[in-house]
Structures are given as C-alpha cells and as structure tokens.
C-alpha cells in the first residue's frame, strides 16, 4: 500500500513538474505519509514582515488582506491539480464553522489557474470559502510557498503566527486546539 502511494505521489509530482508548476519534494512526502497528519507546522519568524496580499476573487473583485485586520484569517495556498489540496478543502469548511463566532475567515489562494476551473471546483465541492486567484504565482513567491498545500494562520492583529506545510485535517481536535491557543 505504501509503495502504491509513493508511486502515485511520484506520478503527481512528475505531472506537476511537466506542467510547469512549482512543487517541492515535500509534496510527495505529504501525499505518501499519513495523509492529513503529514503536515509540518512551523512558527512564523518574528523578524519576518507579513507580505502584502491583494488578489482578485472569482467575481473579479479585489480582496485585500489588510481589510481583514481585527479578525483571524487562515490563508491556504492550493491548486485543483494538487490532490492533498483537494482533500483538505472540506475540512476548511468545518474549521470556518467551528470558529465562526470568533470571526475567522478562511481564504483559499489558488495558484496559477483560470477563474472557471476554480469556480467549477468550488461548486462541485459545495464550498462557501472565499477564493482568490494568484494568476502569476507572485503571491506564493512573496509568502515563500514552495509546497502545496501551504497554509498560514494569521492572528486578529494581522500577524502570521503559524505555517502548515502539507495536508491538514482542519476539523481534527488536535488542530482545533492548536488554533485556539494562537487565535
């Protein structure tokens, strides 16, 4: 079974590279490891400033991270061709509902895909999450994203506090406790 997952991860990585996508080798690790528990959790470096983030949503309106000041934000960099990204999307819905009272906003930042494929994915999955598009990959580069999915937890003061590299079950008790501690 592990060999099959490893082959699938290798095929996914090869397809992404051939498609001109930016994917780090750790993506293959996150796919072949224990699924949603394979993420690496990293603190945001105290000396690092938060990059700006202004991107169009699926209706062409510009979304700006600075407008979310005062509320916690979970910022997920993902792509429809990334299987671990697709797998964790439903748990973002659970997360947003769980922290609704605290004003949590989950924003899915799509990497280099057109508006229609993202809209079709959102509709097919029944997602209500805010989705914006990083059409040229500049936002991913500014945030230091090399692996998909990569997610940042931003506190109400607008400061990133945690980074999860790889797939996460955002509805799990352990993750919810981790988030409650930093938000």
């Amino acid at each position: 079974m592990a060999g099959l997952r490893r082959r699938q991860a290798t095929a996914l990585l090869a397809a992404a590279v051939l498609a001109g996508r930016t994917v780090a080798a750790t993506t293959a690790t996150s796919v072949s490891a224990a699924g949603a528990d394979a993420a690496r959790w990293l603190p945001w470096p105290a000396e690092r400033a938060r990059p700006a983030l202004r991107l169009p949503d699926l209706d062409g309106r510009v979304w700006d991270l600075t407008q979310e000041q005062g509320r916690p934000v979970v910022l997920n960099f993902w792509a429809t061709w990334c299987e671990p990204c697709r797998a964790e999307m439903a748990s973002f819905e659970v997360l947003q509902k769980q922290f609704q009272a605290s004003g949590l906003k989950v924003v899915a930042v799509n990497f280099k895909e057109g508006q229609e494929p993202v809209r079709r994915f959102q509709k097919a999955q029944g997602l209500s999450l805010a989705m914006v598009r990083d059409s040229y990959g500049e936002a991913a580069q500014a945030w230091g994203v090399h692996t998909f999915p990569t997610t940042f937890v931003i506190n109400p003061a607008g400061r990133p506090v945690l980074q999860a590299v790889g797939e996460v079950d955002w509805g799990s008790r352990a993750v919810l406790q981790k988030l409650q501690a930093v938000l």
Side-chain angles (χ1 to χ4, degrees):
M1 183 69 149
L4 176 60
R5 284 188 179 160
R6 192 173 327 275
R7 284 192 299 272
Q8 289 172 332
T10 302
L12 175 65
L13 183 58
V17 170
L18 289 173
R21 310 291 194 207
T22 305
V23 179
T26 54
T27 299
T29 303
S30 69
V31 173
S32 66
D37 299 326
R40 284 184 299 131
W41 288 89
L42 307 167
W44 184 267
E47 68 282 355
R48 184 172 178 207
R50 182 194 76 205
L53 190 60
R54 284 179 47 94
L55 296 169
D57 67 15
L58 297 181
D59 295 320
R61 294 182 303 256
V62 175
W63 176 83
D64 189 336
L65 180 57
T66 61
Q67 294 174 343
E68 303 299 338
Q69 193 82 14
R71 71 188 300 174
V73 176
V74 172
L75 194 62
N76 172 253
F77 285 82
W78 73 288
T80 62
W81 48 261
C82 166
E83 200 55 45
C85 300
R86 295 169 60 89
E88 75 178 352
M89 279 296 170
S91 72
F92 280 122
E93 290 284 332
V94 172
L95 176 69
Q96 189 159 272
K97 287 181 177 106
Q98 182 78 23
F99 283 92
Q100 193 170 22
S102 68
L104 175 77
K105 182 164 189 170
V106 177
V107 180
V109 180
N110 179 267
F111 182 73
K112 292 186 174 183
E113 292 184 274
Q115 183 174 347
E116 287 310 310
V118 177
R119 190 183 306 276
R120 280 192 305 271
F121 175 80
Q122 183 184 38
K123 185 177 181 180
Q125 299 300 314
L127 300 172
S128 63
L129 305 171
M131 294 200 170
V132 297
R133 293 180 36 249
D134 183 12
S135 299
Y136 301 103
E138 293 168 346
Q141 183 177 13
W143 282 78
V145 174
H146 303 290
T147 302
F148 296 99
T150 293
T151 306
F152 299 92
V153 177
I154 302 167
N155 69 18
R159 177 95 181 123
V161 290
L162 284 176
Q163 176 180 358
V165 179
E167 183 183 348
V168 173
D169 176 359
W170 293 94
S172 76
R173 179 175 299 213
V175 171
L176 293 174
Q177 288 173 342
K178 185 181 296 267
L179 291 177
Q180 287 172 335
V182 298
L183 299 177

